[in-house]
């Protein structure tokens, strides 16, 4: 339990100070809206892959959800890099690595939320996944805004 408290404290320290320095102006809002549009397209990719794997291929729900998340991460990275953040950093592999690590943290958060909402609270799996996506999207936006696509 202390491990999780330490991780949460570290995330708070790492991201709260930079978040306080963000200028919440029209340009920021426009990036956030673009990120939302890309996220919605990723949601369609994610849910489609998840549904195909879970319902048609009968793959376990967490593996199916993870596969959907990983495929959506690839499409989201490309769209966010060029459209949302208009970023042309030549270090694409390093940048994608940052994006992917942030996405893996998001995946872990997503699976924890799905477990709590679906397995423990008995909510519908897809409703639980949708709730997780909304929460994880906020994490993904701010982490990528402050870390992946800076400069």
């Amino acid at each position: 339990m202390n491990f999780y408290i330490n991780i949460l404290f570290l995330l708070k320290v790492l991201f709260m100070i930079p978040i306080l320095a963000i200028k919440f102006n029209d340009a920021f809002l426009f990036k956030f809206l673009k990120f939302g549009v890309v996220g919605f397209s990723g949601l369609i990719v994610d849910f489609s892959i998840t549904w195909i794997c879970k319902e048609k291929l009968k793959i376990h729900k967490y593996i199916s959800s993870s596969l959907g998340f990983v495929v959506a991460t690839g499409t989201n990275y490309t769209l966010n890099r060029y459209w949302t953040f208009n970023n042309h950093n030549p270090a694409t592999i390093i940048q994608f690595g940052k994006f992917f690590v942030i996405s893996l943290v998001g995946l872990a958060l997503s699976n924890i939320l799905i477990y709590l909402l679906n397995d423990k609270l008995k909510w519908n799996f897809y409703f639980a996944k949708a709730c997780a996506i909304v929460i994880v999207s906020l994490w993904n936006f701010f982490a990528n805004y402050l870390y992946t696509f800076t400069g």
Side-chain angles (χ1 to χ4, degrees), residues 61-134:
K61 65 184 174 185
Y62 290 111
I63 295 171
S64 298
S65 182
S66 297
L67 289 170
F69 192 90
V70 168
V71 172
T73 297
T75 60
N76 283 2
Y77 169 73
T78 303
L79 291 171
N80 278 315
R81 174 179 163 88
Y82 294 110
W83 187 58
T84 305
F85 295 103
N86 192 26
N87 188 285
H88 300 281
N89 183 339
T92 306
I93 293 173
I94 293 169
Q95 190 178 57
F96 181 75
K98 291 177 178 181
F99 190 88
F100 195 77
V101 166
I102 288 168
S103 296
L104 284 177
V105 171
L107 174 61
L109 292 171
S110 178
N111 283 338
I112 290 167
L113 289 167
I114 291 169
Y115 171 76
L116 292 173
L117 297 174
N118 178 246
D119 292 358
K120 294 298 182 185
L121 296 178
K122 304 300 181 202
W123 290 12
N124 174 277
F125 173 76
Y126 292 106
F127 184 71
K129 183 168 175 67
C131 291
I133 286 171
V134 169

Side-chain angles (χ1 to χ4, degrees), residues 1-150:
M1 188 66 162
N2 284 338
F3 172 75
Y4 297 111
I5 292 170
N6 291 335
I7 294 295
L8 290 174
F9 178 75
L10 179 62
L11 290 173
K12 180 180 173 184
V13 169
L14 289 174
F15 288 105
M16 284 310 293
I17 293 170
I19 286 174
L20 295 174
I22 293 173
K23 294 180 182 170
F24 293 93
N25 56 21
D26 290 342
F28 174 84
L29 179 61
F30 193 56
K31 282 183 183 179
F32 186 75
L33 292 174
K34 284 179 159 182
F35 190 86
V37 170
V38 170
F40 186 73
S41 73
L43 178 122
I44 292 168
V45 170
D46 189 338
F47 266 72
S48 298
I49 298 295
T50 300
W51 184 82
I52 289 167
C53 290
K54 181 179 178 288
E55 304 300 334
K56 297 298 180 186
L57 300 176
K58 303 299 182 199
I59 299 172
H60 189 274
K61 65 184 174 185
Y62 290 111
I63 295 171
S64 298
S65 182
S66 297
L67 289 170
F69 192 90
V70 168
V71 172
T73 297
T75 60
N76 283 2
Y77 169 73
T78 303
L79 291 171
N80 278 315
R81 174 179 163 88
Y82 294 110
W83 187 58
T84 305
F85 295 103
N86 192 26
N87 188 285
H88 300 281
N89 183 339
T92 306
I93 293 173
I94 293 169
Q95 190 178 57
F96 181 75
K98 291 177 178 181
F99 190 88
F100 195 77
V101 166
I102 288 168
S103 296
L104 284 177
V105 171
L107 174 61
L109 292 171
S110 178
N111 283 338
I112 290 167
L113 289 167
I114 291 169
Y115 171 76
L116 292 173
L117 297 174
N118 178 246
D119 292 358
K120 294 298 182 185
L121 296 178
K122 304 300 181 202
W123 290 12
N124 174 277
F125 173 76
Y126 292 106
F127 184 71
K129 183 168 175 67
C131 291
I133 286 171
V134 169
I135 293 167
V136 170
S137 292
L138 292 172
W139 152 257
N140 285 341
F141 175 76
F142 282 105
N144 283 301
Y145 182 84
L146 295 169
Y147 179 64
T148 305
F149 298 110
T150 59

